[in-house]
Structures are given as structure tokens and as C-alpha cells.
Amino acid sequence: VVTDVYLDEVRPELEPGELVEALCDGRWERCVVRQLLGALPATGGFIVEMPASEAATKHVTAVDLRRCFSAGEEVEVYMGLYRGWVVATVKDAPTDSDEPREVVPAGQVEAR
């Protein structure tokens, strides 16, 4: 058991078939995890299918992958020590794909 783990180091393992974004040439591109490499994929990497790329598949390290969430999808968001984990709904993606998507905690009314 590992103790004293920082919050940004905690995430469930990626699975084959999962929609993700990979950092390619300085841009985040949508792709699908096809294969986990090694006993610890976080260190061995992943084979991903790049539908928008000339190369059908690519080897990518864990630090160059991030999960994708669709608008309307329910997620859990860490809102700090006071509020903890909160159920939220993903809003539409911003125009710049390098920015994180906004989430609205369930039951909270958006200010317009």
C-alpha cells in the first residue's frame, strides 16, 4: 500500500476501447486506447488508434494521454478539502481544445 499520494497522481487505469486525447506535435488529438504495454502501462505506455492521423496506431506514454468526456456526461470532480468529490455534468467543449472542459455540480444552477 502506498501512502501520501498527491491528488493529481490518482486516476483509474485506462482501458482498451476507452476514448482519450493524445498529445501529438503540441496538439491534443482524440484517439482510442487499443493496447496496454507492459505490466504497468503507466510506465510502459499505450498503443492508441489515431483516426485523424496518417499513422493508424501510435505508441504513447501515460503523461501524453488524458481522458475525454462528452458534453452531458456525468463525472466526479474534486472541489477541494471543504467540498470534496462532487457529481457534475460536463458542459460543451471550449473552442480551444487545450483548455479543460467546464463542469457544473449536479443541482447547481448556472449563472448566465
Side-chain angles (χ1 to χ4, degrees):
V1 172
V2 178
T3 59
D4 298 324
V5 176
Y6 293 101
L7 181 63
D8 64 347
E9 296 173 333
V10 177
R11 73 175 186 183
E13 291 182 11
L14 296 170
E15 300 288 334
E18 189 167 349
L19 179 65
V20 294
E21 290 180 335
L23 187 59
C24 299
D25 300 322
R27 295 181 47 88
W28 290 100
E29 295 185 29
R30 287 201 174 208
C31 55
V32 177
V33 174
R34 289 295 171 220
Q35 183 181 353
L36 313 177
L37 300 176
L40 298 171
T43 57
F46 302 83
I47 298 295
V48 296
E49 183 178 336
M50 309 287 294
S53 175
E54 297 164 6
T57 60
K58 180 176 182 173
H59 174 254
V60 181
T61 62
V63 296
D64 291 330
L65 283 182
R66 66 183 184 188
R67 284 192 159 80
C68 284
F69 301 99
S70 301
E73 187 174 348
E74 191 174 275
V75 295
E76 290 185 33
V77 179
Y78 188 71
M79 303 294 284
L81 290 174
Y82 178 72
R83 294 187 63 196
W85 290 96
V86 177
V87 175
T89 302
V90 178
K91 293 176 62 175
D92 288 333
T95 55
D96 181 2
S97 64
D98 289 335
E99 294 180 29
R101 296 181 182 206
E102 293 181 63
V103 293
V104 178
Q108 179 177 325
V109 178
E110 288 184 65
R112 297 214 184 247

